[in-house]
């Protein structure tokens, strides 16, 4: 008899796995400024309350920003990064906190 294509040949039927690391329409997944893990911070845009919320899956860092109808997740993230840099700058003027100097792998001469 005919093999029912789906029942018998479970192995063959390769449903495409959902593309995991494909960029969403606007990127809503970012690297964490605190623990540095790639793609661990998800941005939730809550348009009804005009808040953008970021949470890091890895270290639990959280940030909320006011958004407008025109805001993109990257705006919320950028604001968070700026805030982190301000905090770092304020916490210690102990040289080398600012983004240059130290471990910069720019040896492509």
């Amino acid at each position: 008899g005919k093999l029912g294509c789906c029942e018998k040949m479970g192995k063959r039927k390769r449903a495409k796995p959902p593309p995991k690391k494909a960029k969403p329409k606007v990127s809503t997944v970012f690297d964490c400024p605190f623990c540095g893990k790639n793609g661990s911070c998800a941005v939730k845009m809550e348009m009804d309350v005009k808040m953008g919320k970021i949470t890091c899956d890895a270290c639990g860092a959280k940030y909320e920003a006011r958004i407008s109808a025109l805001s993109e997740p990257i705006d919320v993230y950028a604001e968070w990064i700026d805030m982190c840099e301000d905090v770092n700058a304020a916490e210690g003027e102990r040289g080398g906190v600012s983004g240059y100097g130290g471990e910069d792998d720019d040896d492509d001469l």
Side-chain angles (χ1 to χ4, degrees):
K2 263 195 261 161
L3 281 171
C5 69
C6 300
E7 297 85 54
K8 292 263 181 353
M9 311 179 43
K11 285 261 159 33
R12 265 291 193 290
K13 201 170 159 239
R14 296 251 296 286
K16 285 199 210 92
K20 244 190 245 65
K21 269 292 185 199
K23 295 196 201 81
K25 296 134 296 280
V26 274
S27 182
T28 56
V29 178
F30 302 101
D31 302 347
C32 180
F34 289 102
C35 67
K37 198 160 188 316
N38 287 3
S40 59
C41 292
V43 181
K44 256 234 218 56
M45 302 297 273
E46 301 188 359
M47 286 300 178
D48 45 341
V49 291
K50 299 258 190 296
M51 288 297 285
K53 299 182 176 176
I54 307 182
T55 313
C56 175
D57 295 338
C59 71
K62 283 191 177 64
Y63 179 67
E64 294 185 358
R66 301 198 74 87
I67 58 175
S68 70
L70 302 175
S71 296
E72 303 283 346
I74 186 69
D75 299 324
V76 180
Y77 179 67
E79 218 174 288
W80 190 25
I81 297 297
D82 290 347
M83 190 207 61
C84 292
E85 283 172 358
D86 292 348
V87 169
N88 287 346
E91 258 177 17
E93 260 84 66
R94 26 168 207 275
V97 182
S98 34
Y100 38 88
E103 305 82 37
D104 251 330
D105 306 327
D106 286 344
D107 310 302
D108 32 16
L109 300 170

